[in-house]
Amino acid sequence: MKETKSKSLPVSQDMVREAYTKVKANKGGAGIDNESLDDFELKLERNLYKVWNRMASGSYFPPAVKEVEIPKKDGKVRKLGIPTVGDRIAQTVIKNLIEPRLEQIFSNNSYGYRPLRSAHDALDAVRANVRQYSWLIDLDIKGFFDNIDHELLMKAVEVHVSEKWIQMYLRRWLEMPVQTKIGELVEKQGKGTPQGGVISPVLANLFLHYVMDKWLTIRYPQISFVRYADDAVIHCRTKSEAEEVLKTVNERVTACNLELHKEKTKIVYCKDYRRCEKFDTVSFDFLGFMFKPMSLKSKRENSLFLGFGMTISKDSRKKIVSNINQTKLHRWTTATIEDIATLLNPRIRGWVNYYGRFCYRGLSQTLRRLHRRIAKWLLNKYKRLGWSFRRAFVMLRQIKQVKPNLFAHWKAGYDL
């Protein structure tokens, strides 16, 4: 970038370069211009100067976002909006400015898309709460990102962001159209923020801070809740309290032009050895895990008891198994076992780091499908095994004995 002085708006070149560094670290695909990060970097200085020049002069208008469809577990699709690389940098500039001040007012019960907070932290909080509270509401907002009311959101923005120029850019991002797969531009109708944009999670958290977090804290100080983006678990002491809270939350959400997902929102009884009431729904899924009554090991007496614990959810198991099956690794007969480990280890590491934190046994059972797939590869590669899975597993155990750190889950202590 050639110039160093700022223009009419307080956006410096250092702010743009810092934003670019974060965008580069987060990677991500190309937007509607099909320009990848690598393409953007071919003319990096010129491209960064262009972003700075337009933002600093107030003339920056974001291009449309590219719509990408991601399959959901119910057979439907989740629509993501992918901004261009330049627009992701511009959004990051503003995010860096407003996020620190919003973090000061956000609830400690909110975990999604926040600095130094993770899904594991949210799961830890739910796991602690189900020991204390007998009932909960498994809450899901239908099409949340598609239905955020722009005017209500901007009212919340104006409370904490006094700079008119930042408000101007936020409104432009809210109003930018979406380009569908067939190239059609779809204009916003006063609602929605694209899931996939850099600024969207911050704005979504601000919206739900006022719709739910702050409201719940004032209205029901005796309860606890955990929210991760638009998924929330509200913990109550009694069934009647859970029914009342669900009724008023539904009214609150409706008043804010949102809608609870009727099929996914439900009251759950946290049944264990102390809680013996009869209730049909005694399990729920949250962030890839299932919470349910299950046998747990007592630390003191080294015996089993009925607790309300967590394990990897059925949907998560299916995703992992599907991912394993899609590799078709049993056909890679020209590859070595080291080649297979190199290709599989990044995804295995992800599974171990996320699911292994809370349920070693559940993930271990799921990874048996991976071992069977590797055994099938051994059968295809080494005909002397005579199509015997028993012999293949003997060979696999011998490989593990010689190279115990070959696969990421072996290194982490997962056995065959």
Side-chain angles (χ1 to χ4, degrees), residues 299-314:
K299 294 182 180 179
R300 294 181 180 177
E301 302 175 3
N302 198 28
S303 59
L304 296 178
F305 68 96
L306 181 65
F308 196 78
M310 60 189 294
T311 187
I312 183 171
S313 71
K314 292 179 181 178

PDB file of all heavy atoms in Angstrom, residues 299-314:
ATOM      1  N   LYS A 299     -16.284 -42.588  41.051  1.00  0.00           N
ATOM      2  CA  LYS A 299     -14.853 -42.396  41.319  1.00  0.00           C
ATOM      3  C   LYS A 299     -14.467 -42.910  42.699  1.00  0.00           C
ATOM      4  O   LYS A 299     -13.369 -43.414  42.910  1.00  0.00           O
ATOM      5  CB  LYS A 299     -14.509 -40.913  41.194  1.00  0.00           C
ATOM      6  CG  LYS A 299     -14.643 -40.365  39.790  1.00  0.00           C
ATOM      7  CD  LYS A 299     -14.252 -38.896  39.724  1.00  0.00           C
ATOM      8  CE  LYS A 299     -14.400 -38.351  38.306  1.00  0.00           C
ATOM      9  NZ  LYS A 299     -14.049 -36.901  38.252  1.00  0.00           N
ATOM     10  N   ARG A 300     -15.377 -42.805  43.635  1.00  0.00           N
ATOM     11  CA  ARG A 300     -15.055 -43.184  45.014  1.00  0.00           C
ATOM     12  C   ARG A 300     -15.116 -44.694  45.228  1.00  0.00           C
ATOM     13  O   ARG A 300     -14.213 -45.312  45.756  1.00  0.00           O
ATOM     14  CB  ARG A 300     -15.998 -42.483  45.990  1.00  0.00           C
ATOM     15  CG  ARG A 300     -15.827 -40.957  46.024  1.00  0.00           C
ATOM     16  CD  ARG A 300     -16.790 -40.345  47.027  1.00  0.00           C
ATOM     17  NE  ARG A 300     -16.648 -38.901  47.078  1.00  0.00           N
ATOM     18  CZ  ARG A 300     -17.404 -38.108  47.839  1.00  0.00           C
ATOM     19  NH1 ARG A 300     -18.343 -38.635  48.605  1.00  0.00           N
ATOM     20  NH2 ARG A 300     -17.221 -36.798  47.824  1.00  0.00           N
ATOM     21  N   GLU A 301     -16.256 -45.295  44.799  1.00  0.00           N
ATOM     22  CA  GLU A 301     -16.500 -46.700  45.122  1.00  0.00           C
ATOM     23  C   GLU A 301     -16.126 -47.661  43.995  1.00  0.00           C
ATOM     24  O   GLU A 301     -16.272 -48.868  44.122  1.00  0.00           O
ATOM     25  CB  GLU A 301     -17.968 -46.888  45.493  1.00  0.00           C
ATOM     26  CG  GLU A 301     -18.403 -46.020  46.676  1.00  0.00           C
ATOM     27  CD  GLU A 301     -19.892 -46.140  46.944  1.00  0.00           C
ATOM     28  OE1 GLU A 301     -20.544 -46.948  46.241  1.00  0.00           O
ATOM     29  OE2 GLU A 301     -20.396 -45.439  47.833  1.00  0.00           O
ATOM     30  N   ASN A 302     -15.684 -47.117  42.847  1.00  0.00           N
ATOM     31  CA  ASN A 302     -15.316 -47.940  41.704  1.00  0.00           C
ATOM     32  C   ASN A 302     -16.464 -48.863  41.283  1.00  0.00           C
ATOM     33  O   ASN A 302     -16.268 -50.049  40.987  1.00  0.00           O
ATOM     34  CB  ASN A 302     -14.067 -48.774  42.011  1.00  0.00           C
ATOM     35  CG  ASN A 302     -13.408 -49.280  40.737  1.00  0.00           C
ATOM     36  OD1 ASN A 302     -13.527 -48.651  39.679  1.00  0.00           O
ATOM     37  ND2 ASN A 302     -12.746 -50.408  40.820  1.00  0.00           N
ATOM     38  N   SER A 303     -17.683 -48.311  41.295  1.00  0.00           N
ATOM     39  CA  SER A 303     -18.867 -49.061  40.902  1.00  0.00           C
ATOM     40  C   SER A 303     -19.682 -48.241  39.914  1.00  0.00           C
ATOM     41  O   SER A 303     -19.403 -47.060  39.697  1.00  0.00           O
ATOM     42  CB  SER A 303     -19.719 -49.407  42.131  1.00  0.00           C
ATOM     43  OG  SER A 303     -20.110 -48.218  42.797  1.00  0.00           O
ATOM     44  N   LEU A 304     -20.693 -48.864  39.309  1.00  0.00           N
ATOM     45  CA  LEU A 304     -21.525 -48.184  38.331  1.00  0.00           C
ATOM     46  C   LEU A 304     -22.795 -47.638  38.974  1.00  0.00           C
ATOM     47  O   LEU A 304     -23.329 -48.207  39.915  1.00  0.00           O
ATOM     48  CB  LEU A 304     -21.891 -49.154  37.208  1.00  0.00           C
ATOM     49  CG  LEU A 304     -20.732 -49.685  36.358  1.00  0.00           C
ATOM     50  CD1 LEU A 304     -21.249 -50.672  35.317  1.00  0.00           C
ATOM     51  CD2 LEU A 304     -19.978 -48.552  35.665  1.00  0.00           C
ATOM     52  N   PHE A 305     -23.275 -46.518  38.440  1.00  0.00           N
ATOM     53  CA  PHE A 305     -24.545 -45.958  38.881  1.00  0.00           C
ATOM     54  C   PHE A 305     -25.231 -45.305  37.691  1.00  0.00           C
ATOM     55  O   PHE A 305     -24.587 -45.008  36.674  1.00  0.00           O
ATOM     56  CB  PHE A 305     -24.339 -44.938  40.010  1.00  0.00           C
ATOM     57  CG  PHE A 305     -23.633 -43.671  39.559  1.00  0.00           C
ATOM     58  CD1 PHE A 305     -24.349 -42.537  39.211  1.00  0.00           C
ATOM     59  CD2 PHE A 305     -22.241 -43.620  39.489  1.00  0.00           C
ATOM     60  CE1 PHE A 305     -23.712 -41.376  38.804  1.00  0.00           C
ATOM     61  CE2 PHE A 305     -21.588 -42.467  39.069  1.00  0.00           C
ATOM     62  CZ  PHE A 305     -22.330 -41.349  38.724  1.00  0.00           C
ATOM     63  N   LEU A 306     -26.538 -45.090  37.773  1.00  0.00           N
ATOM     64  CA  LEU A 306     -27.294 -44.456  36.689  1.00  0.00           C
ATOM     65  C   LEU A 306     -27.152 -42.945  36.810  1.00  0.00           C
ATOM     66  O   LEU A 306     -27.640 -42.329  37.765  1.00  0.00           O
ATOM     67  CB  LEU A 306     -28.766 -44.851  36.751  1.00  0.00           C
ATOM     68  CG  LEU A 306     -29.643 -44.243  35.634  1.00  0.00           C
ATOM     69  CD1 LEU A 306     -29.232 -44.780  34.266  1.00  0.00           C
ATOM     70  CD2 LEU A 306     -31.133 -44.525  35.896  1.00  0.00           C
ATOM     71  N   GLY A 307     -26.460 -42.363  35.861  1.00  0.00           N
ATOM     72  CA  GLY A 307     -26.291 -40.911  35.834  1.00  0.00           C
ATOM     73  C   GLY A 307     -26.858 -40.335  34.552  1.00  0.00           C
ATOM     74  O   GLY A 307     -27.288 -41.061  33.651  1.00  0.00           O
ATOM     75  N   PHE A 308     -26.861 -39.012  34.472  1.00  0.00           N
ATOM     76  CA  PHE A 308     -27.292 -38.333  33.246  1.00  0.00           C
ATOM     77  C   PHE A 308     -26.028 -37.822  32.580  1.00  0.00           C
ATOM     78  O   PHE A 308     -25.518 -36.750  32.893  1.00  0.00           O
ATOM     79  CB  PHE A 308     -28.258 -37.198  33.574  1.00  0.00           C
ATOM     80  CG  PHE A 308     -29.029 -36.691  32.391  1.00  0.00           C
ATOM     81  CD1 PHE A 308     -30.124 -37.396  31.901  1.00  0.00           C
ATOM     82  CD2 PHE A 308     -28.666 -35.525  31.743  1.00  0.00           C
ATOM     83  CE1 PHE A 308     -30.848 -36.934  30.797  1.00  0.00           C
ATOM     84  CE2 PHE A 308     -29.378 -35.054  30.642  1.00  0.00           C
ATOM     85  CZ  PHE A 308     -30.463 -35.762  30.174  1.00  0.00           C
ATOM     86  N   GLY A 309     -25.500 -38.654  31.681  1.00  0.00           N
ATOM     87  CA  GLY A 309     -24.202 -38.361  31.093  1.00  0.00           C
ATOM     88  C   GLY A 309     -24.282 -37.991  29.632  1.00  0.00           C
ATOM     89  O   GLY A 309     -25.349 -37.743  29.078  1.00  0.00           O
ATOM     90  N   MET A 310     -23.132 -37.975  28.994  1.00  0.00           N
ATOM     91  CA  MET A 310     -23.060 -37.579  27.587  1.00  0.00           C
ATOM     92  C   MET A 310     -22.178 -38.532  26.807  1.00  0.00           C
ATOM     93  O   MET A 310     -21.226 -39.117  27.326  1.00  0.00           O
ATOM     94  CB  MET A 310     -22.528 -36.147  27.469  1.00  0.00           C
ATOM     95  CG  MET A 310     -21.141 -35.950  28.043  1.00  0.00           C
ATOM     96  SD  MET A 310     -20.634 -34.208  28.138  1.00  0.00           S
ATOM     97  CE  MET A 310     -20.553 -33.778  26.404  1.00  0.00           C
ATOM     98  N   THR A 311     -22.525 -38.689  25.545  1.00  0.00           N
ATOM     99  CA  THR A 311     -21.738 -39.494  24.625  1.00  0.00           C
ATOM    100  C   THR A 311     -21.879 -38.896  23.240  1.00  0.00           C
ATOM    101  O   THR A 311     -22.675 -37.965  23.029  1.00  0.00           O
ATOM    102  CB  THR A 311     -22.204 -40.961  24.640  1.00  0.00           C
ATOM    103  OG1 THR A 311     -21.297 -41.743  23.836  1.00  0.00           O
ATOM    104  CG2 THR A 311     -23.610 -41.112  24.081  1.00  0.00           C
ATOM    105  N   ILE A 312     -21.132 -39.379  22.301  1.00  0.00           N
ATOM    106  CA  ILE A 312     -21.227 -38.893  20.937  1.00  0.00           C
ATOM    107  C   ILE A 312     -22.630 -39.197  20.393  1.00  0.00           C
ATOM    108  O   ILE A 312     -23.159 -40.277  20.613  1.00  0.00           O
ATOM    109  CB  ILE A 312     -20.122 -39.520  20.055  1.00  0.00           C
ATOM    110  CG1 ILE A 312     -20.161 -38.959  18.642  1.00  0.00           C
ATOM    111  CG2 ILE A 312     -20.191 -41.028  20.069  1.00  0.00           C
ATOM    112  CD1 ILE A 312     -18.950 -39.386  17.813  1.00  0.00           C
ATOM    113  N   SER A 313     -23.251 -38.237  19.736  1.00  0.00           N
ATOM    114  CA  SER A 313     -24.625 -38.407  19.270  1.00  0.00           C
ATOM    115  C   SER A 313     -24.694 -39.360  18.076  1.00  0.00           C
ATOM    116  O   SER A 313     -23.693 -39.596  17.392  1.00  0.00           O
ATOM    117  CB  SER A 313     -25.230 -37.057  18.880  1.00  0.00           C
ATOM    118  OG  SER A 313     -24.641 -36.582  17.682  1.00  0.00           O
ATOM    119  N   LYS A 314     -25.884 -39.884  17.836  1.00  0.00           N
ATOM    120  CA  LYS A 314     -26.084 -40.796  16.700  1.00  0.00           C
ATOM    121  C   LYS A 314     -25.768 -40.095  15.386  1.00  0.00           C
ATOM    122  O   LYS A 314     -25.172 -40.686  14.476  1.00  0.00           O
ATOM    123  CB  LYS A 314     -27.519 -41.314  16.701  1.00  0.00           C
ATOM    124  CG  LYS A 314     -27.854 -42.233  17.870  1.00  0.00           C
ATOM    125  CD  LYS A 314     -29.305 -42.682  17.816  1.00  0.00           C
ATOM    126  CE  LYS A 314     -29.633 -43.577  19.009  1.00  0.00           C
ATOM    127  NZ  LYS A 314     -31.059 -43.989  19.010  1.00  0.00           N
TER     128      LYS A 314
END
